[in-house]
Amino acid sequence: MRYTDAPTADTADRDLIARLAFGSMAAQTLRAAVRLRVVELVGATPRGAAEVAAAAGARPQPMTRLLRALAALGLLREHTPGTFSVTPAGALLDPGHPDSLRSFVRMFTEPAVVRAWEHLDEGVRTGEVVFDTVFGTDFFGHLAQDPELSAEFNAAMSQAVAETAAALPHAYDFGRFRAVTDVGGGDGTLLAAVLTAHPDLTGVVFDTAEGLARTPETLERHGLAGRCTVHAGDFFRSVPEGSDLYLVKSVLHDWTDDQVVTILGHCRRALPPGGTVLIVEPVLPEVVDAGSAVADGGVTYLSDLNMMVNIGGRERTRADFEDVCHRAGLSITSVTPLAGAEPFSLIEAVPR
């Protein structure tokens, strides 16, 4: 394609490319803010950069520059020269905030997550999982070797599920079921929200031993220890029997189609008559909706690339979900966007 006769590029188009090119720098600015505890040190009341620097063990001029970059990103506000306070968005970096995303930011700016992205082009050429080549092991194997990173990952997943946990209990008819097993349920945040809203339900959180490290604490905090059990295991081998609803949230996108068929097949075999599998995942449109994709920063499609680069999974269209469910002995009965937790949808499947 030749552009020699094309009109001069629109300023907005040039600005878009520049913002995208600087995206990794913005992410590392967030990471530095978290590591230096900037949000906790600045607080809601205007505070001088020199004072923040002293509390952080940093030099005043570089700290001022960092704080101004954070203000330009909308996370701080500069009131007078060198005096800053935290915005509502910035407050989400505070670990004490009830909706904190601090661990989420730390995890997704962690070198173990970011490094393989440097070889995205190689992953596109070969179709191989770049993380495995760079680190000599798979992503979850790497986590298992690093307890601190594993704990950060669990905390990040708990923070990431908070929005879904607020929306899901009121968006689906859980009242027609007796017991629900959350497959790959992590620290139990999602199932705790469902059980709290539906007191006649009992539950099981099923995950690896590492994934369940904080689950008893979550259940105890919500007063659910008597209604919910914790079951460690491997969903590639089996899932616990005894529930009539199997909830699978943000699990399938981690795995290849064949692995997904295995997971769903185990859920299918555990289902009693009248049982249901409820999948909670983004559902990609068959054709990219540029308006909605640009509005959310392309996050779902970037997540798809992250699955390819770091883990080997993928985000899927409805047709993709239809295929893996069919192969696992399931039929999809409905796909419903989860209001309040975009871009997730509820994918209901029953034995075919």
Side-chain angles (χ1 to χ4, degrees):
M1 182 181 294
R2 299 181 61 189
Y3 295 101
T4 53
D5 299 323
T8 303
D10 185 273
T11 300
D13 294 334
R14 296 175 64 87
D15 288 348
L16 172 62
I17 297 299
R19 286 198 304 274
L20 294 175
F22 274 77
S24 62
M25 300 179 198
Q28 291 306 315
T29 300
L30 279 183
R31 181 171 177 81
V34 166
R35 289 166 64 87
L36 290 167
R37 300 176 54 248
V38 164
V39 166
E40 300 101 295
L41 295 176
V42 172
T45 303
R47 194 173 188 190
E51 187 180 358
V52 175
R59 296 176 65 86
Q61 195 223 44
M63 177 59 77
T64 301
R65 295 166 71 176
L66 174 63
L67 297 183
R68 283 184 166 154
L70 292 167
L73 292 172
L75 303 176
L76 298 179
R77 178 186 173 196
E78 187 170 20
H79 298 268
T80 58
T83 304
F84 300 84
S85 66
V86 176
T87 66
L92 297 178
L93 299 180
D94 188 334
H97 193 288
D99 297 317
S100 176
L101 290 171
R102 175 184 178 276
S103 291
F104 181 85
V105 168
R106 288 203 65 166
M107 192 66 211
F108 282 92
T109 58
E110 164 68 34
V113 172
V114 173
R115 195 168 298 152
W117 273 85
E118 297 172 6
H119 308 279
L120 172 61
D121 56 336
E122 186 66 18
V124 171
R125 277 194 291 266
T126 66
E128 296 178 358
V129 183
V130 179
F131 185 98
D132 298 9
T133 302
V134 172
F135 289 91
T137 185
D138 65 274
F139 180 78
F140 292 108
H142 184 78
L143 286 183
Q145 297 168 13
D146 187 337
E148 183 178 349
L149 184 60
S150 180
E152 195 74 77
F153 176 80
N154 290 341
M157 294 304 97
S158 177
Q159 291 178 356
V161 81
E163 195 172 56
T164 307
L168 178 61
H170 313 290
Y172 185 71
D173 182 14
F174 288 97
R176 57 196 172 99
F177 299 100
R178 173 183 50 81
V180 54
T181 292
D182 190 354
V183 178
D187 77 346
T189 294
L190 183 60
L191 188 54
V194 171
L195 296 181
T196 298
H198 299 274
D200 293 332
L201 270 180
T202 60
V204 177
V205 183
F206 177 64
D207 210 322
T208 63
E210 294 84 2
L212 295 170
R214 302 293 296 272
T215 313
E217 177 185 325
T218 301
L219 299 178
E220 187 68 34
R221 186 169 66 251
H222 288 85
L224 295 169
R227 287 174 51 207
C228 189
T229 59
V230 175
H231 191 124
D234 179 355
F235 49 46
F236 289 118
R237 294 180 177 274
S238 65
V239 300
E241 296 184 351
S243 291
D244 51 351
L245 177 65
Y246 284 78
L247 175 62
V248 190
K249 195 270 180 192
S250 294
V251 169
L252 304 185
H253 72 168
D254 288 341
W255 307 104
T256 66
D257 287 355
D258 288 345
Q259 290 170 315
V260 167
V261 170
T262 297
I263 297 167
L264 292 177
H266 290 316
C267 294
R268 166 66 183 87
R269 282 186 282 279
L271 284 178
T276 298
V277 176
L278 181 64
I279 301 165
V280 184
E281 297 257 359
V283 177
L284 297 177
E286 294 296 334
V287 176
V288 174
D289 180 343
S292 61
V294 171
D296 78 351
V299 168
T300 306
Y301 292 92
L302 293 176
S303 174
D304 182 47
L305 291 180
N306 188 55
M307 295 301 111
M308 180 177 73
V309 167
N310 280 319
I311 301 178
R314 58 187 292 216
E315 305 294 353
R316 293 177 169 86
T317 64
R318 175 165 182 157
D320 294 328
F321 281 112
E322 294 273 8
D323 176 61
V324 293
C325 284
H326 182 84
R327 290 170 56 193
L330 297 165
S331 294
I332 291 178
T333 57
S334 66
V335 176
T336 308
L338 180 55
E342 295 79 5
F344 290 99
S345 289
L346 305 181
I347 307 162
E348 186 179 67
V350 299
R352 61 180 180 85

